[in-house]
């Protein structure tokens, strides 16, 4: 914007809660702002964009543009893209620039993506498209090539901590914990600050993890049976368990290497220190590899029960090292 060269379409890439929508909305504000330093956040257009009431700024996603049979949408349909195209051909209603934000662009049907392609190939003046996605590899290459690609990077932990303490008044230990747990994803930290159930769930998962590590094979296989059943309903929740395991074992590695100040689970440092004494560095590294391999195999649709049983069998045995 400073250089006066805003593209007509951006592809913003990053995991959930990474700031894609925030950035897209701030860009929409900046392009329509009436303040001296856009986006000022306080002028009428800026406030309208923030509250979703600006006539020239539209968000298209699974929850927008109600469909005829009232079923929840599972993809962004061609009807939504057509409606957006029609609207983009009209001049701005109240602002200077029309901004269309496609939230979850990877969820566009093939028809919808092809239809959008025509608009991206012949951009109109004063219209900006922002496509938000967690995974650009599933978008048609033709669509990606018509957009300016912006990959959002995780924020460094100290920066998350500062941003979080500016926005929420939490105890400093909790601010630090959330800043570590979010892995550079400020949106998640803010969500967890407002909703205690996220930290409660984590506490339950850690409790279970400790039981499983200390348990015998029978207890471990019971847990696998539970997870495998869960997997058919909700894959993401099993991936969440694996992510937590990965964090835990990475922490053990860091503690073992004498870098306790960089661990994620800062509230469990004493347990980690004690546990790390029972394993060699090679054992910890090997198990980290096993967790990563299990995650990849699940993604490739391997049998979840088998994958998780193999993972349980590779939990290293504790010895006095
Ligand atoms: Zn403004």
């Amino acid at each position: 914007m400073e250089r006066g060269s805003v593209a007509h379409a951006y592809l913003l890439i990053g995991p959930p809660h990474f700031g894609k929508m925030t950035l897209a909305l701030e860009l929409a504000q900046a392009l329509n702002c009436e303040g001296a330093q856009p986006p000022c956040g306080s002028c009428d257009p800026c406030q309208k964009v923030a509250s979703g009431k600006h006539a020239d700024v539209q968000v298209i996603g699974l929850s927008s543009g109600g469909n005829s049979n009232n079923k929840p949408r599972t993809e962004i349909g061609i009807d939504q893209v057509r409606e957006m195209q029609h609207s983009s051909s009209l001049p701005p209603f109240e602002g200077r620039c029309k901004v269309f934000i496609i939230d979850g662009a990877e969820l566009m049907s093939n028809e919808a993506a092809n239809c959008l392609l025509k608009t991206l190939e012949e951009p109109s003046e004063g219209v900006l498209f922002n496509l938000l996605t967690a995974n650009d590899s599933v978008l048609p290459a033709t669509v990606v090539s018509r957009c300016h690609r912006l990959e959002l990077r995780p924020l460094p932990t100290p920066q998350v901590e500062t941003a979080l303490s500016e926005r929420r008044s939490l105890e400093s230990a909790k601010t630090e914990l959330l800043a570590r747990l979010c892995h550079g994803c400020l949106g998640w930290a803010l969500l967890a600050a407002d909703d205690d159930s996220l930290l409660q769930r984590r506490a339950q998962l850690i409790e279970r993890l400790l039981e499983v590590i200390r348990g015998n094979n029978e207890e471990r296989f019971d847990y696998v049976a539970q997870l495998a059943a869960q997997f058919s309903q909700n894959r993401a929740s099993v991936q969440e368990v694996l992510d937590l395991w990965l964090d835990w074992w990475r922490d053990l590695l860091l503690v073992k290497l004498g870098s306790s100040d960089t661990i994620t689970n800062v509230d469990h440092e004493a347990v980690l220190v004690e546990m790390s004494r029972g394993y060699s560095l090679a054992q910890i590294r090997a198990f980290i590899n096993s967790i990563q391999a299990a995650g990849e195999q699940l993604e490739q649709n391997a049998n979840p029960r088998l994958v998780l049983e193999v993972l349980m069998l590779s939990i290293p045995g504790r010895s006095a090292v």
Side-chain angles (χ1 to χ4, degrees):
M1 275 192 75
E2 272 173 11
R3 292 190 213 131
S5 64
V6 176
H8 68 275
Y10 288 100
L11 180 62
L12 306 181
I13 306 159
H17 311 299
F18 225 55
K20 302 184 294 294
M21 183 61 86
T22 306
L23 179 59
L25 288 173
E26 286 192 3
L27 194 52
Q29 284 179 322
L31 290 167
N32 287 294
C33 179
E34 289 167 357
Q37 280 188 316
C40 72
S42 51
C43 70
D44 191 45
C46 277
Q47 290 195 355
K48 276 188 172 169
V49 172
S51 58
K53 294 192 175 109
H54 198 291
D56 296 315
V57 179
Q58 278 179 38
V59 177
I60 293 104
L62 289 188
S63 54
S64 66
N67 50 358
S68 45
N69 51 15
N70 279 331
K71 274 194 211 144
R73 282 183 182 274
T74 53
E75 59 179 22
I76 298 175
I78 191 163
D79 53 319
Q80 288 171 289
V81 173
R82 285 221 175 100
E83 215 175 287
M84 183 176 75
Q85 271 169 338
H86 174 67
S87 168
S88 73
S89 66
L90 305 171
F93 183 74
E94 56 176 319
R96 292 190 299 271
C97 182
K98 285 208 157 193
V99 181
F100 298 92
I101 300 170
I102 306 181
D103 189 16
E106 74 277 13
L107 301 169
M108 273 189 292
S109 67
N110 281 339
E111 278 177 306
N114 280 329
C115 182
L116 176 69
L117 192 58
K118 285 182 205 128
T119 312
L120 295 178
E121 279 167 346
E122 295 158 22
S124 324
E125 268 307 293
V127 179
L128 172 70
F129 290 93
N130 286 314
L131 279 65
L132 318 186
T133 186
N135 182 6
D136 63 324
S137 67
V138 294
L139 278 169
T142 42
V143 169
V144 176
S145 70
R146 297 293 186 289
C147 299
H148 192 99
R149 204 170 170 281
L150 281 179
E151 204 164 322
L152 305 194
R153 305 251 174 242
L155 285 174
T157 305
Q159 225 167 306
V160 175
E161 233 179 294
T162 311
L164 191 56
S165 55
E166 281 165 7
R167 288 169 173 80
R168 301 287 188 274
S169 46
L170 306 169
E171 286 168 27
S172 64
K174 190 166 178 184
T175 304
E176 191 194 356
L177 177 65
L178 293 181
R180 303 277 183 113
L181 288 178
C182 77
H183 296 299
C185 186
L186 178 61
W188 186 90
L190 289 167
L191 207 65
D194 297 336
D195 180 358
D196 272 337
S197 71
L198 292 175
L199 281 185
Q200 282 163 12
R201 177 166 163 75
R202 167 180 172 265
Q204 286 166 3
L205 290 180
I206 289 186
E207 202 179 310
R208 205 74 179 86
L209 169 138
L210 293 175
E211 280 169 16
V212 169
I213 292 176
R214 289 169 183 151
N216 55 29
N217 274 347
E218 200 183 317
E219 289 161 289
R220 291 174 182 178
F221 283 2
D222 281 348
Y223 190 42
V224 167
Q226 250 182 51
L227 288 178
Q230 208 176 308
F231 189 77
S232 59
Q233 310 286 321
N234 183 355
R235 281 171 167 240
S237 70
V238 175
Q239 190 54 53
E240 189 191 353
V241 172
L242 288 184
D243 288 343
L244 181 123
W245 277 59
L246 201 56
D247 275 348
W248 186 268
W249 286 83
R250 256 195 213 129
D251 281 355
L252 285 174
L253 188 78
L254 290 167
V255 168
K256 197 85 189 162
L257 292 168
S259 307
S260 300
D261 52 331
T262 53
I263 59 172
T264 299
N265 297 290
V266 270
D267 54 341
H268 288 76
E269 190 176 343
V271 186
L272 285 161
V273 169
E274 197 278 321
M275 191 178 270
S276 74
R277 292 199 186 108
Y279 300 112
S280 71
L281 207 53
Q283 282 180 310
I284 299 174
R285 280 216 322 246
F287 191 60
I288 288 176
N289 289 341
S290 301
I291 302 172
Q292 285 171 327
E296 282 160 21
Q297 286 156 4
L298 289 179
E299 239 171 61
Q300 290 158 10
N301 293 320
N303 179 318
R305 189 163 188 146
L306 266 179
V307 169
L308 295 168
E309 280 181 359
V310 170
L311 180 65
M312 291 299 151
L313 288 171
S314 46
I315 296 176
R318 288 170 62 82
S319 53
V321 177

